[in-house]
Amino acid sequence: MLLAKLEFPAIGELVDWKQFWLPGFNKPILLMIVSALIVVALFVAAGRKKALVPSGIQNVVESIIEFVTDGIIMQTMGEDGLVFLPYLTTLFMFILVCNLFEIIPVMQFPPMARMAMPMFLALITWVMFIFMGIKKQGPGYFKAALFPPGVPKALYVLVTPIELLSTFIVRPFSLAVRLFANELAGHLLLVTFAVLTDTLLFHNTIVFFKPVAVLPAVMDIGLTGFELLVAVLQAFIFTILTAVYLGGAMHPEH
């Protein structure tokens, strides 16, 4: 009788929202726009005072910029990579804000749990590192990538297809899937334990089972804290891998 009351929503309902007044305009699109506006607002607010000793929002934004500079760019690209500081900082903050919507009441949905946006960001990375490779090395970039120096010529039959797949095909796909899969999995877990708590507490006719609702409730709270960590970690991983790929295109010796 208890099991009959456990009616979980279909996966499609967990990753979508009813259309608004505009065709194709739904919850993920709305949250992406809001995320972009939040990031812009943070930069604008931080740049208004330009105090010598930063405080408040300026201190927060400058700390993030310093983190991206020292923890990502200098570790993967060196000083040459500072030209990408505005893009990488924006990328990190945009993904982070999008991910944080997963644990914000009412919203409770990470836009990156839809494959379209992670794939779009991954394709931007793909275009950028190929462009930088050609810019820094010329047409020889593809030859150096597909035919690594020092490898016996007989092994190129195996090495070249592997390099082609791993460098120019798998990279954007793995970037997108990693972010998408982690955010979708976290969203499904939070919804699962929330539905279980609600069912045991409010839709369960057996009084004996009502106290058991505390278990999935505690689990849901714990997962919320864990997803906060995942939100930051996934933004960092996507950004640092973008920097690694750009650095590899700029400095083939590394």
Side-chain angles (χ1 to χ4, degrees), residues 177-237:
V177 169
R178 183 183 295 107
L179 179 57
F180 158 74
N182 277 280
E183 291 306 306
L184 179 60
H187 179 61
L188 293 178
L189 282 174
L190 290 177
V191 171
T192 297
F193 285 101
V195 171
L196 186 57
T197 302
D198 179 72
T199 300
L200 290 172
L201 194 59
F202 301 107
H203 303 284
N204 170 36
T205 58
I206 304 178
V207 179
F208 173 77
F209 284 104
K210 288 187 179 293
V212 181
V214 70
L215 298 178
V218 170
M219 190 66 181
D220 206 36
I221 294 173
L223 284 173
T224 299
F226 178 73
E227 287 303 314
L228 174 61
L229 175 63
V230 171
V232 179
L233 185 61
Q234 288 304 313
F236 171 74
I237 290 175

Side-chain angles (χ1 to χ4, degrees), residues 122-164:
L123 287 176
I124 293 177
T125 296
W126 181 72
V127 171
M128 288 180 66
F129 82 73
I130 290 179
F131 172 79
M132 291 305 302
I134 296 175
K135 181 180 179 180
K136 293 292 184 178
Q137 305 176 51
Y141 166 64
F142 294 101
K143 180 180 179 181
L146 298 177
F147 301 92
V151 176
K153 293 183 178 181
L155 292 181
Y156 282 144
V157 177
L158 295 175
V159 172
T160 299
I162 292 174
E163 291 295 329
L164 174 63

Side-chain angles (χ1 to χ4, degrees), residues 27-244:
K27 185 175 184 177
I29 295 176
L30 172 64
L31 295 183
M32 289 175 194
I33 294 174
V34 173
S35 298
L37 292 176
I38 289 175
V39 173
V40 172
L42 287 174
F43 278 121
V44 171
R48 288 180 62 184
K49 294 184 178 180
K50 298 181 180 178
L52 185 61
V53 180
S55 61
I57 191 65
Q58 181 183 351
N59 187 46
V60 173
V61 173
E62 287 193 8
S63 297
I64 294 175
I65 294 174
E66 184 178 350
F67 167 74
V68 174
T69 301
D70 298 334
I72 295 179
I73 294 178
M74 298 305 296
Q75 298 296 324
T76 59
M77 307 168 69
E79 292 185 0
D80 292 344
L82 291 176
V83 67
F84 294 105
L85 176 60
Y87 172 71
L88 293 176
T89 303
T90 303
L91 179 67
F92 174 78
M93 293 182 68
F94 175 69
I95 296 176
L96 177 59
V97 173
C98 283
N99 291 347
L100 289 177
F101 275 119
E102 179 181 9
I103 59 175
I104 294 178
V106 181
M107 299 299 185
Q108 294 177 313
F109 181 82
M112 295 300 167
R114 297 295 297 272
M115 187 61 171
M117 181 51 68
M119 181 57 73
F120 177 73
L121 296 177
L123 287 176
I124 293 177
T125 296
W126 181 72
V127 171
M128 288 180 66
F129 82 73
I130 290 179
F131 172 79
M132 291 305 302
I134 296 175
K135 181 180 179 180
K136 293 292 184 178
Q137 305 176 51
Y141 166 64
F142 294 101
K143 180 180 179 181
L146 298 177
F147 301 92
V151 176
K153 293 183 178 181
L155 292 181
Y156 282 144
V157 177
L158 295 175
V159 172
T160 299
I162 292 174
E163 291 295 329
L164 174 63
L165 288 172
S166 63
T167 303
F168 298 105
I169 298 177
V170 174
R171 277 185 179 181
F173 183 74
S174 63
L175 263 181
V177 169
R178 183 183 295 107
L179 179 57
F180 158 74
N182 277 280
E183 291 306 306
L184 179 60
H187 179 61
L188 293 178
L189 282 174
L190 290 177
V191 171
T192 297
F193 285 101
V195 171
L196 186 57
T197 302
D198 179 72
T199 300
L200 290 172
L201 194 59
F202 301 107
H203 303 284
N204 170 36
T205 58
I206 304 178
V207 179
F208 173 77
F209 284 104
K210 288 187 179 293
V212 181
V214 70
L215 298 178
V218 170
M219 190 66 181
D220 206 36
I221 294 173
L223 284 173
T224 299
F226 178 73
E227 287 303 314
L228 174 61
L229 175 63
V230 171
V232 179
L233 185 61
Q234 288 304 313
F236 171 74
I237 290 175
F238 195 101
T239 306
I240 196 171
L241 285 178
T242 296
V244 167

